[in-house]
Amino acid sequence: MGFETLLGNDRLKQNLAQSLARGHISHFYLISGPEGSGKRTLARLLGAAILCREQGAPCLKCRICRKVLEGSHPDFITVDDPEKKTVTVDLIRQARADMYVQPNESDHKIYLFPRAQDMGIPGQNALLKVLEEPPAYGVFLLLTDNPDKLLPTVRSRCTELKLQALPRERLLAQLERDFPQAQPEDREAAAVRSGGFLGQARALLEEGAALPPETEAFLKAFAAADPLELIRVLVPLEKSKRETLAPLLEQWLALVESALVCRAGMPAPTRQARELAQGCTAQRLYQAAERLKQGRLYLDSNVSPGAVCGYLEWALR
């Protein structure tokens, strides 16, 4: 099966498969591309290809491939702490020390860095020590949406795999398979707005799918410029937990920003965003986006949900 499950990027996949078939495995791969471009997909396929013992690796059927794709293989290790904004030096040092422990089940030991751009200078310098003299079995997969944030000394040691946008027709065909219930104009708009990257297009279409009742009520009240209805939406949320309120604010912000982009002339990928764009001025949408961002910042800064809702009741009226 090889790398076929990664859409597009045919030249890259062909070159990579040929290199691996000849036994040419780099110690360091830098997988770059915007958010939603398939970096994690390629990283897992590459990890499976390196560890798989079947002909035509990755076969994607054997026990080894399945464990890599499920994230449970002991020799395929993710170096990250999603709760922290940066990849800390301590985390990198732990991975560096662990690299010199022999693999558990395989001939190689692979370390995946999903946010390589979030390593600071000290972290990258800590990584350089193992990049300069890696053990024969060691492989590092560095994923980044901005290679320029990495030190030249790190980049120069990597084989860079740069992911490209999908052709329009290929992207639309995949979106039709993934979102058969979406309107054709929604899929077209998502394809345009995503710049050709499947992950971004999927996220845009998911914005308008099965919205929670709080979001439907917010959109209705905001579009009608009805401050009393906005209060009725927000007051019950004052007693909600932080983890309940945060995704709602993110969703409201995404829809308002999508409507604002629509006002600027770009197609909107959801019905809700189009309706907001038709019913609100650009200035009002911009102000709402700024205030929702501020509310989200307050929530991240440990302000209580009640206080954040109180702020929005005043700021969005």
Side-chain angles (χ1 to χ4, degrees), residues 11-241:
R11 178 69 63 82
L12 181 151
K13 292 187 296 186
Q14 182 181 14
N15 291 342
L16 189 56
Q18 290 175 351
S19 178
L20 293 174
R22 293 193 294 266
H24 298 165
I25 299 174
S26 174
H27 285 294
F28 318 112
Y29 291 94
L30 177 60
I31 302 177
S32 64
E35 182 180 353
S37 58
K39 295 188 295 294
R40 287 175 183 261
T41 298
L42 178 57
R44 293 208 175 275
L45 290 172
L46 178 54
I50 292 170
L51 299 180
C52 179
R53 296 190 175 102
E54 302 297 325
Q55 188 173 5
C59 70
L60 306 184
K61 296 178 180 179
C62 69
R63 179 183 60 86
I64 291 173
C65 283
R66 290 198 304 269
K67 289 174 73 172
V68 171
L69 297 177
E70 292 166 1
S72 60
H73 198 292
D75 295 321
F76 189 86
I77 301 152
T78 299
V79 184
D80 195 15
D81 183 351
E83 295 185 359
K84 295 189 181 336
K85 292 184 177 179
T86 61
V87 182
T88 64
V89 177
D90 288 342
L91 205 58
I92 295 169
R93 286 173 178 161
Q94 290 170 18
R96 189 180 68 191
D98 186 69
M99 169 62 77
Y100 293 99
V101 178
Q102 293 285 330
N104 290 275
E105 299 179 1
S106 306
D107 297 329
H108 291 86
K109 201 170 185 180
I110 302 172
Y111 290 81
L112 170 65
F113 288 74
R115 297 186 294 143
Q117 74 276 354
D118 292 333
M119 295 188 295
I121 301 300
Q124 293 184 54
N125 283 326
L127 185 63
L128 265 175
K129 293 183 179 180
V130 73
L131 296 184
E132 290 169 351
E133 295 183 11
Y137 53 78
V139 177
F140 284 82
L141 307 180
L142 308 181
L143 276 56
T144 181
D145 55 18
N146 188 351
D148 291 334
K149 287 188 176 181
L150 298 180
L151 293 171
T153 46
V154 172
R155 291 185 65 179
S156 66
R157 287 168 169 79
C158 295
T159 298
E160 185 165 0
L161 306 174
K162 187 174 182 180
L163 289 160
Q164 303 292 334
L166 296 177
R168 176 179 171 277
E169 294 304 322
R170 197 164 187 180
L171 176 57
L172 284 173
Q174 185 62 42
L175 292 177
E176 187 173 3
R177 286 191 287 270
D178 293 345
F179 298 90
Q181 77 285 359
Q183 296 297 317
E185 60 267 29
D186 292 348
R187 294 194 292 264
E188 180 72 38
V192 172
R193 289 274 303 279
S194 70
F197 294 103
L198 179 59
Q200 292 186 32
R202 283 173 170 162
L204 287 166
L205 287 171
E206 286 165 357
E207 283 180 12
L211 295 178
E214 295 89 350
T215 297
E216 293 282 9
F218 167 78
L219 292 173
K220 182 178 179 181
F222 181 77
D226 188 333
L228 182 58
E229 283 301 315
L230 275 172
I231 290 173
R232 286 174 178 161
V233 172
L234 288 161
V235 165
L237 294 173
E238 291 179 358
K239 297 181 180 179
S240 65
K241 294 182 178 180

